[in-house]
Amino acid sequence: MALLMSNNSSMQTGSDVALPKESFSNALTKNIVAVMVWLVLSIINSSMVHTFLRHSLFYENSRYIMFICMVVNDALQLTLVTTLYVISYIFRKINVSVCCLLVMTAVFTTRFTPLILAGMAVERFIAICIPLRHTNLCTVPCTLHLIWIILLLAATPPITDLLITIFKEPPSFFHKTIFCDHSFLFRDPSIYYKNSVFDGLYLSFVALTLLYTYCKIMLTAQAASTSLASVRRARNTVLLHGVQLLLCMLAFVVPSLQAALISLFPQLSLEIRYIFFLLVYIIPRFMSPVIYGFRDELFRRYWIRYLSCQKIIRVQPKALKETCR
C-alpha cells in the first residue's frame, strides 16, 4: 500500500525515484491546500475530543468511546499523511529509520478505521435489534477489550513487515536514505503476498459485517417505525457508512489503480497522484464528523454548546466561564 501520493514518485530504478517536474506555483498551491484542510479538520477533531472528555455521559457509553477513537485515529492519520506529503516536496529522501516509523504508523491508522467501523456497526446492531442485551454486551470494559483487539489486528501487518525487513535486509539498510514510500521501504516480495492475503480476509470481514448489521438495522427500523422519517434516517446512515467504507477500501487498491492510470496518462501523473491523495486520505476524514458529530443529536447539542461558550469567553467577563462548564 502506497502511503504517499506525492509529486516525487513516478518510476523506480533500483532504489532511486525519478522526479517529475512541477512548477513552483502548482507545488505551493497543492501544499497550501493540504495544510489548510489538515488545519480545519484538526480544529474540528480537537473540539470533538474536548467535548467528549468534558462530559462523563460520553465516556460511559460504548458508542461514543468508539467514535472518539475513530476521531483520534483520523486526526493522527491525517497529520502523518499530510506530513509525508509536504516532506516529499522538501526532501527527496529521508533516513530509513525515520521513514519506517512514519510509514508503519500510517499503515496502522489506515487499517484501524475499517475495523472500528465494524465495531460501531455491531454496537448499533445490538442496540436496535436486540436492545434487551445491549446493557450487558456493550459495557465500557467490553468496549475497551474490543478496542484492544482492534489495535492488535491493525498493528499486526506493519509489525510483521518490519520483522521480515529486519531479517532480510542488512543492518546498514536502516542507515540509508530513501524516498519514503511503503514499496521502497519494505522491498521483500513476501511482504506483498502476505499483505495481499491479509487485506483480502480483512476487508471481506469488515464488508460482510457492515452489510449484515446494517441490513438488519434497516429491516428492524422499517418494521418498528410508524413514520417514514426514521426509516429515511436509517437509510441515510447506511448510505454514509457505505461511502465511508468504500473510501477507506480505496487505500488498499490505490497502488494498482494509480499505476495503471499513470501508465495510460503519464503526462498527468502529478494530477493523478494529487487526486488520489485527496480522495483516499483527505475526504474520508470529513465523514466521521458528519456521521457522528453533526448528525448525532446528543453529541451535537453538547458540541455546539462547547463551541459557543468558547466563543463567548473571548469577549465576555471571566464570570461567564462558569456557564461553559
Side-chain angles (χ1 to χ4, degrees), residues 292-304:
Y292 303 105
F294 299 111
R295 296 184 75 247
D296 187 278
E297 294 181 4
L298 179 62
F299 192 88
R300 183 175 67 244
R301 185 165 67 249
Y302 282 90
W303 187 28
I304 292 175

Side-chain angles (χ1 to χ4, degrees), residues 2-11 17-22 27 30-31 34 80-93 178-184 254 258 262 268-278 281:
L3 295 175
L4 186 58
M5 311 305 158
S6 75
N7 64 314
N8 290 343
S9 60
S10 62
M11 61 179 291
V17 180
L19 301 177
K21 294 181 179 179
E22 184 171 21
K30 289 179 179 179
N31 279 274
L80 284 168
V81 174
T82 304
T83 300
L84 285 168
Y85 187 82
V86 174
I87 284 176
S88 72
Y89 280 88
I90 301 173
F91 306 103
R92 182 173 181 269
K93 296 180 179 182
I178 62 169
F179 175 77
C180 193
D181 183 88
H182 187 278
S183 59
F184 303 141
V254 154
Q258 179 181 266
I262 289 176
L268 300 176
S269 61
L270 298 176
E271 286 70 22
I272 290 172
R273 286 189 178 86
Y274 189 68
I275 290 172
F276 274 114
F277 171 73
L278 296 177
Y281 298 107

Side-chain angles (χ1 to χ4, degrees), residues 139-211:
T139 61
V140 172
C142 289
T143 303
L144 295 178
H145 289 151
L146 176 62
I147 292 172
W148 278 110
I149 292 173
I150 292 174
L151 289 171
L152 179 62
L153 290 174
T156 298
I159 290 175
T160 53
D161 290 349
L162 177 61
L163 293 176
I164 293 173
T165 302
I166 291 174
F167 180 75
K168 294 293 184 70
E169 299 286 355
S172 59
F173 173 72
F174 292 92
H175 299 288
K176 294 181 178 180
T177 58
I178 62 169
F179 175 77
C180 193
D181 183 88
H182 187 278
S183 59
F184 303 141
L185 177 63
F186 301 119
R187 303 180 296 182
D188 191 82
S190 62
I191 294 176
Y192 169 80
Y193 296 112
K194 172 189 69 69
N195 286 337
S196 297
V197 173
F198 179 89
D199 291 343
L201 296 173
Y202 160 83
L203 291 175
S204 298
F205 167 76
V206 173
L208 289 174
T209 300
L210 287 176
L211 180 63

Side-chain angles (χ1 to χ4, degrees), residues 1-133:
M1 180 180 61
L3 295 175
L4 186 58
M5 311 305 158
S6 75
N7 64 314
N8 290 343
S9 60
S10 62
M11 61 179 291
Q12 183 182 8
T13 56
S15 60
D16 294 329
V17 180
L19 301 177
K21 294 181 179 179
E22 184 171 21
S23 67
F24 176 79
S25 59
N26 286 342
L28 183 62
T29 300
K30 289 179 179 179
N31 279 274
I32 289 176
V33 170
V35 171
M36 290 302 296
V37 171
W38 168 81
L39 182 61
V40 170
L41 280 173
S42 295
I43 294 172
I44 293 174
N45 290 333
S46 298
S47 65
M48 285 185 167
V49 172
H50 196 275
T51 301
F52 172 85
L53 293 176
R54 287 173 65 92
H55 301 94
S56 61
L57 78 162
F58 292 131
Y59 51 79
E60 293 173 357
N61 186 303
S62 59
R63 180 186 181 186
Y64 295 109
I65 292 173
M66 287 188 282
F67 159 62
I68 212 64
C69 286
M70 179 181 290
V71 170
V72 173
N73 180 78
D74 285 352
L76 178 59
Q77 183 185 32
L78 183 65
T79 300
L80 284 168
V81 174
T82 304
T83 300
L84 285 168
Y85 187 82
V86 174
I87 284 176
S88 72
Y89 280 88
I90 301 173
F91 306 103
R92 182 173 181 269
K93 296 180 179 182
I94 63 174
N95 181 267
V96 168
S97 298
V98 176
C99 176
C100 187
L101 177 63
L102 293 173
V103 168
M104 287 181 63
T105 309
V107 171
F108 165 79
T109 55
T110 299
R111 284 180 164 86
F112 182 88
T113 299
L115 289 173
I116 201 70
L117 270 177
M120 297 180 75
V122 171
E123 188 276 333
R124 286 293 84 196
F125 165 76
I126 295 172
I128 294 177
C129 299
I130 45 176
L132 296 179
R133 301 189 61 188

Side-chain angles (χ1 to χ4, degrees), residues 275-296:
I275 290 172
F276 274 114
F277 171 73
L278 296 177
L279 184 64
V280 176
Y281 298 107
I282 301 297
I283 294 177
R285 307 288 80 78
F286 282 100
M287 297 296 291
S288 296
V290 168
I291 297 176
Y292 303 105
F294 299 111
R295 296 184 75 247
D296 187 278

